């Protein structure tokens, strides 16, 4: 991270370590080199690596994006969780997320490995989430845990959402993203 003290023709400032991957399982393995990163609205870090990695019990490949939540700086600590398992959304496993941008209201993923750029907005991501296998969608949509998709799931979700306890994407907060993910899963679920 660059901490600017002045900008313009005489830009100056200092660099500081924001994320030290070697502290959190991204050590001396070139597959673990971070090739795309962005800061999520909740302060977590979304990242992609050059190759396949397993760290903290989470495994991902170069076409995936994981979320890292924890303490940042020269002594980094925390945990990973899958954010986008793009191979399950129809993105070729040969693809490589090589750039990642987080912007208000959406984001972008760029695939330079095939020289075909594409962007995934929040809306696209929700649409692709509907392509998950029916079992995955049923799992997310079965909010009351009875093994069936019924109006009870909607009732349970809305009650928990109102109470701030409907964290569908496991990012630590209940927000509109959770509402959108639940609706996408409910729409894709098989009754």
């Amino acid at each position: 991270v660059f901490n600017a003290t002045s900008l313009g023709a005489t830009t100056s400032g200092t660099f500081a370590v924001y994320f030290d991957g070697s502290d959190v399982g991204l050590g001396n393995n070139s597959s673990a080199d971070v090739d795309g990163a962005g800061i999520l609205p909740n302060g977590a870090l979304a990242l992609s690596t050059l190759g396949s990695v397993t760290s903290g019990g989470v495994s991902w490949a170069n076409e995936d994006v994981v979320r890292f939540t924890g303490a940042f700086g020269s002594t980094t600590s925390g945990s990973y969780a899958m954010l986008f398992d793009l191979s399950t959304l129809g993105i070729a496993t040969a693809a490589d997320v090589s750039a990642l941008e987080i912007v208000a209201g959406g984001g972008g993923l760029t695939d330079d490995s095939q020289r075909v750029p594409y962007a995934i907005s929040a809306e696209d991501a929700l649409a692709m989430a509907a392509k998950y296998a029916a079992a995955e969608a049923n799992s997310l949509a079965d909010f009351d845990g009875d093994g069936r998709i019924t109006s009870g799931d909607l009732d349970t979700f809305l009650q928990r959402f109102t109470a701030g306890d409907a964290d569908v994407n496991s990012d630590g907060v209940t927000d509109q993203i959770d509402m959108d993910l639940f609706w996408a899963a409910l729409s894709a679920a098989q009754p």
Side-chain angles (χ1 to χ4, degrees), residues 41 102-108 120-124 126 177 180:
I102 308 298
V103 295
I120 299 176
S121 67
E123 293 80 18
D124 292 338
L126 292 174
I177 294 170
D180 294 342

Side-chain angles (χ1 to χ4, degrees), residues 25-123:
L26 304 183
N28 295 326
N29 179 353
S30 63
S31 291
D33 289 348
V34 174
D35 63 355
I39 300 172
L40 296 168
N42 66 357
L45 182 68
L47 62 92
S48 177
T49 54
L50 193 57
S52 297
V53 175
T54 298
S55 182
V58 178
S59 296
W60 65 91
N62 60 346
E63 77 274 4
D64 300 325
V65 178
V66 293
R67 177 182 56 246
F68 179 83
T69 307
F72 296 95
S74 59
T75 304
T76 302
S77 63
S79 60
Y80 298 99
M82 184 65 72
L83 186 59
F84 291 115
D85 183 349
L86 295 180
S87 64
T88 66
L89 301 175
I91 305 298
T93 57
D96 178 27
V97 174
S98 57
L100 179 61
E101 178 184 8
I102 308 298
V103 295
L109 300 172
T110 304
D111 174 12
D112 287 334
S113 67
Q114 299 173 348
R115 300 288 185 235
V116 179
Y118 55 87
I120 299 176
S121 67
E123 293 80 18

